[in-house]
Amino acid sequence: MYAVGMIVEHAEFTIAESDAEKFEAAYALAVELLAQTEGFEWAHLHRGIERPTSYLLIVGWESVHAHLVNFRESDRFPQWRTLLGPYFAADPKVEHYSVL
């Protein structure tokens, strides 16, 4: 499932319940921006069961550079934030993990 050397981005979003459907629809568009990025592998969005206002986005990248430079420093990142940012009820929490 995971390639050796791959980096996993773990991003937690808090979304007001009243915005959940709009956020999910916006994500369906925004994930295409990720997919266009060199070094992108896959992405999975999960919604919390106990806390339905919590979303977990897990993204596979070839490297941290692929995420922080190829995506974050591209013209796709501002588009991503324009699509999803209006639904963030708090600042996203983003961390990177290496696959063991």
Side-chain angles (χ1 to χ4, degrees):
M1 179 175 182
Y2 300 109
V4 175
M6 176 183 287
I7 298 299
V8 175
E9 171 195 357
H10 170 282
E12 186 175 340
F13 307 128
T14 301
I15 309 297
E17 243 179 297
S18 60
D19 287 334
E21 284 186 35
K22 292 180 274 188
F23 170 75
E24 291 171 16
Y27 172 78
L29 301 173
V31 71
E32 294 302 320
L33 297 167
L34 291 176
Q36 296 167 17
T37 304
E38 182 181 347
F40 169 84
E41 296 288 332
W42 48 263
H44 301 285
L45 182 66
H46 307 268
R47 186 172 184 187
I49 294 171
E50 291 81 10
R51 293 180 300 129
T53 60
S54 178
Y55 284 80
L56 177 62
L57 174 63
I58 302 175
V59 184
W61 295 101
E62 287 179 0
S63 64
V64 174
H65 182 273
H67 177 224
L68 296 182
V69 176
N70 297 356
F71 180 64
R72 287 262 182 116
E73 293 183 11
S74 75
D75 62 347
R76 289 177 303 283
F77 183 66
Q79 295 173 59
W80 164 271
R81 286 303 292 238
T82 297
L83 285 167
L84 300 181
Y87 305 111
F88 295 158
D91 289 336
K93 297 176 187 170
V94 179
E95 296 179 313
H96 298 95
Y97 295 84
S98 58
V99 177
L100 301 178

